[in-house]
Amino acid sequence: MFLRIDRWQTELPPPSTPDPAGAAAVQELMGGKFGEMSTLMNYTFQSFNYRFKQGTRPFYDLIANIAAEEYGHIELVAATINTMLTGVDIRDVESEAYKQHYLFGGKGALPADSHGKPWNGSYVHSSGDLIEDLTHNYFLETGARSGKLRVYEMCDHPAARALTGYLLVRGGVHQVAYARALENLTGANLSKLFPTPRIPTAKIPECQPHIEAGEHLKLYRFSPNDYREIVAVFNGTHPETGEELQVVDEPPEGFLPQDLPPETDVFAPDYAPEEIAEIAQKLRKAAGLPDKVTGLVAND
């Protein structure tokens, strides 16, 4: 089961100048072969199909726990795309190739890649062989890192830069985790491959605040009581910095999400959102809820 917390794993800037072309590029980080939907579903199905959990518990805990973090990464990519599309006038996108955002996306993220091709299950590798799956996962995180670096170079929008800066650091943690698991199982020293691709993460300005906060060293445990045996695998030193790796026994505190404004030209959430708000307020009052909305957002 998943416990959902209404926070973003990192802080993203509020909407600024719209960037529809950049939003289309960021879609690759969502639904591309090496996007966040692929990392989520690969690790999720591997954890679903995992056999002999009790005999090999640390490795199961590692895969299952990282899968939970990837769910939050999907939310961050979607939030970034939605931020970049806020304020776009659909009359100005005639020359934009990626029209799916407006025709049926409501100026929102889609489960598709940068060409509009829907994400598909053929991207999922769940062989049942632990070493094969872990090797695939390391390769998948390496391909994901390449994609983030390329999107970083293509997009200078503040939200895209903030997103890729954070995901490069957290994806690096997952690379290290799978490398440590394979080293423990086979003796193969994948740490000699770091960083891969060969661009030091610390050189990227948007990565530096997360590195200073130690996010490159931490593997969070996304469960109140489960997946405790990841400490048996995720330990030792970081292959680039030599600092001690650490397991944090709770999810990150997170940041309040931005409440994005209605976009009435694509009927999101309606052509007359104030009518829905009026209905919602009546329902809240009938349910005995307080006058002030209970949920929290960054721009309340």
Side-chain angles (χ1 to χ4, degrees), residues 139-160:
F139 167 72
L140 179 60
E141 289 289 350
T142 301
R145 177 176 166 84
S146 294
K148 292 160 193 167
L149 287 166
R150 291 164 183 160
V151 169
Y152 180 90
E153 292 295 331
M154 290 174 66
C155 302
D156 58 5
H157 191 279

Side-chain angles (χ1 to χ4, degrees), residues 29-56:
L29 304 185
M30 173 65 85
K33 185 175 182 179
F34 295 97
E36 299 301 317
M37 289 188 68
S38 289
T39 51
L40 167 71
M41 296 307 288
N42 271 269
Y43 312 154
T44 296
F45 271 88
Q46 289 171 17
S47 68
F48 287 168
N49 299 337
Y50 199 102
R51 296 179 183 271
F52 197 39
K53 292 178 185 176
Q54 291 301 79
T56 59

Side-chain angles (χ1 to χ4, degrees), residues 99-180:
K99 292 185 171 59
Q100 294 93 332
H101 281 152
Y102 320 101
L103 291 173
F104 56 83
K107 296 185 188 177
L110 300 167
D113 66 12
S114 55
H115 295 285
K117 178 183 176 183
W119 183 89
N120 72 84
S122 69
Y123 298 156
V124 174
H125 185 90
S126 178
S127 71
D129 184 296
L130 178 59
I131 294 174
E132 181 180 336
D133 285 348
L134 288 170
T135 304
H136 169 81
N137 295 353
Y138 179 82
F139 167 72
L140 179 60
E141 289 289 350
T142 301
R145 177 176 166 84
S146 294
K148 292 160 193 167
L149 287 166
R150 291 164 183 160
V151 169
Y152 180 90
E153 292 295 331
M154 290 174 66
C155 302
D156 58 5
H157 191 279
R161 287 291 178 91
L163 171 76
T164 49
Y166 179 76
L167 292 183
L168 283 166
V169 172
R170 295 306 301 162
V173 172
H174 299 167
Q175 274 186 307
V176 172
Y178 291 130
R180 293 288 296 131

